[in-house]
Amino acid sequence: MSRPLFIGLDLGTSGCRAMAIDADGRLQAQAAIALPAPLRQGARAEQAPELWWRGVADCLAALLPQISAKAVRAIAVDGTSGTLLLVDTDGEPLGPALMYNDGRSQAEAQRIAAVAPRESAAHGASAALAKLLHLKPGAAARYAVHQADWVVGRLTGHWGVSDENNCLKLGFDAIRKQWPDWLDALGIDRRLLPKVLFPGTPVASIKPTLAAELGLPPETLIVAGTTDSTAAFIATGASRIGEAVTSLGSSLVMKVIADRPIFSPDHGVYSQPLGERWLVGGGSNSGGAVLLHFFNRQQLDAMTPALNPERPTGLDYYPLLTPGERFPIADARLQARLTPRPEDDVTFFQAMLEGMARIEQQGYQLLAELGAPYPVSVRSAGGGSRNPAWTTIRQHLLGVPLLEAEQQEAAYGSALLARQGFLSQGIDVL
């Protein structure tokens, strides 16, 4: 009989990745599918959730032939933090999802600021709670769901279920483990709010019809996942206080393990539970999405060997796609600095990497000033971690060891959560 396998699904803004691991955490197979980019117009950033499901289905179709599908025991899903949509009783979307970097909810953020405690992660226009108010739920709306929640619903048929990490920006109180009373002052319909589970908690078995369609065992367990950045953190192997992880993906997310939570909405700093400890950090709107606005991946790969990290460009860039920043500067009107643009594209590329590295250093310094430990080491996740020149630039600025991550992909972290959920039932996997 085949040894049990566990699958993690990672949904980002540009693709879906699946990874299968065994009970010892060894990677057995992986697959990736590209997704169309979100639609952007000014502060608007939207994506059709059906694209996510198509990506999940295609990813599983590519993954399962590589392994013994009948050996799969559990699946967990992670998605972008702050992405939100409304669905009806059957889970049908009532419109496009507002993505993590949708910036239209400025007025709603001000309403939240008037009633929410300072330690809430629901502050700011990028928070899911501001998006919920912006969407103005009508009679047809039954659930407010995050990206990962919606996929879990499609897999199980169970709606209105989420996890602690995704729900922080919707207003969930992770310290008291409840939806707070101050939400009532905003007129929030509590029927829309999901039941909140700890990441790695079993939700339900996969829908029988879907199991048959995919060739999975009908008892395959779907487990509560987390946000993409938290899954990426779990995947790296960081586990001790002071160990930090920077996610170098479409956006730039910095987190360090602390023994207590730290909240500072004025700085875009929030905390989320990680077992008995806390992840303290913040996410910048800078990141790979800015690079891909100017160059395609082939161009970036071609220019990378020509980068010279030992010779700084001297250009003081703050790379952003649109006005507005979350962390380390919380300013909805912050303008990008990407001028002067040199004639040489390689210099322009390096200057943007230097700007992002400064954002990372400023982020960890700010966290330390607020009471978190300054990193004793930094692991990296996301596509940017594979750029050696960028690693050198970051090393110079951070001044601490940059360690190799055990795994680079958020999907691996979700696979670990899937294994955790299965093992929590007390089932022997040997």
Side-chain angles (χ1 to χ4, degrees), residues 114-201:
V115 299
R118 292 179 58 80
E119 65 270 17
S120 174
H123 286 277
S126 63
L129 184 59
K131 295 183 177 73
L132 176 57
L133 293 174
H134 182 82
L135 287 169
K136 297 179 175 61
R142 180 60 184 87
Y143 302 109
V145 298
H146 305 93
Q147 189 175 35
D149 308 341
W150 191 76
V151 174
V152 167
R154 287 292 298 261
L155 288 167
T156 63
H158 289 257
W159 300 96
V161 178
S162 189
D163 64 88
E164 282 190 339
N165 298 137
N166 267 300
C167 286
L168 289 177
K169 293 184 180 181
L170 195 55
F172 185 72
D173 187 333
I175 296 177
R176 297 176 178 83
K177 308 296 183 186
Q178 64 186 20
W179 292 107
D181 293 339
W182 58 261
L183 291 174
D184 297 331
L186 297 169
I188 298 294
D189 183 353
R190 287 180 174 260
R191 294 187 320 119
L192 299 170
L193 301 176
K195 177 181 179 181
V196 183
L197 304 177
F198 190 79
T201 303

Side-chain angles (χ1 to χ4, degrees), residues 55-275:
V56 166
D58 290 347
C59 222
L60 288 174
L63 178 79
L64 293 176
Q66 303 178 52
I67 59 176
S68 172
K70 295 298 183 183
V72 174
R73 294 293 177 265
I75 298 173
V77 185
D78 70 77
T80 53
S81 172
T83 296
L84 192 81
L85 71 151
L86 296 174
V87 300
D88 64 15
T89 302
D90 298 320
E92 289 297 319
L94 298 176
L98 305 192
M99 299 303 291
Y100 71 95
N101 56 347
D102 187 287
R104 287 174 285 174
S105 308
Q106 301 295 333
E108 292 80 4
Q110 292 179 9
R111 290 179 56 197
I112 294 168
V115 299
R118 292 179 58 80
E119 65 270 17
S120 174
H123 286 277
S126 63
L129 184 59
K131 295 183 177 73
L132 176 57
L133 293 174
H134 182 82
L135 287 169
K136 297 179 175 61
R142 180 60 184 87
Y143 302 109
V145 298
H146 305 93
Q147 189 175 35
D149 308 341
W150 191 76
V151 174
V152 167
R154 287 292 298 261
L155 288 167
T156 63
H158 289 257
W159 300 96
V161 178
S162 189
D163 64 88
E164 282 190 339
N165 298 137
N166 267 300
C167 286
L168 289 177
K169 293 184 180 181
L170 195 55
F172 185 72
D173 187 333
I175 296 177
R176 297 176 178 83
K177 308 296 183 186
Q178 64 186 20
W179 292 107
D181 293 339
W182 58 261
L183 291 174
D184 297 331
L186 297 169
I188 298 294
D189 183 353
R190 287 180 174 260
R191 294 187 320 119
L192 299 170
L193 301 176
K195 177 181 179 181
V196 183
L197 304 177
F198 190 79
T201 303
V203 176
S205 295
I206 192 171
K207 288 192 294 187
T209 54
L210 190 56
E213 179 183 329
L214 295 172
L216 289 167
E219 66 273 14
T220 299
L221 191 64
I222 308 302
V223 171
T226 183
T227 60
D228 53 353
S229 60
T230 304
F233 194 104
I234 294 170
T236 66
S239 60
R240 295 183 302 164
I241 291 175
E243 293 184 328
V245 174
T246 300
S247 178
L248 304 167
S250 298
S251 60
L252 195 64
V253 180
M254 291 140 275
K255 294 180 180 177
V256 62
I257 301 177
D259 60 358
R260 63 185 179 90
I262 294 172
F263 301 94
S264 181
D266 289 344
H267 301 95
V269 173
Y270 60 94
S271 298
Q272 56 194 62
L274 183 71

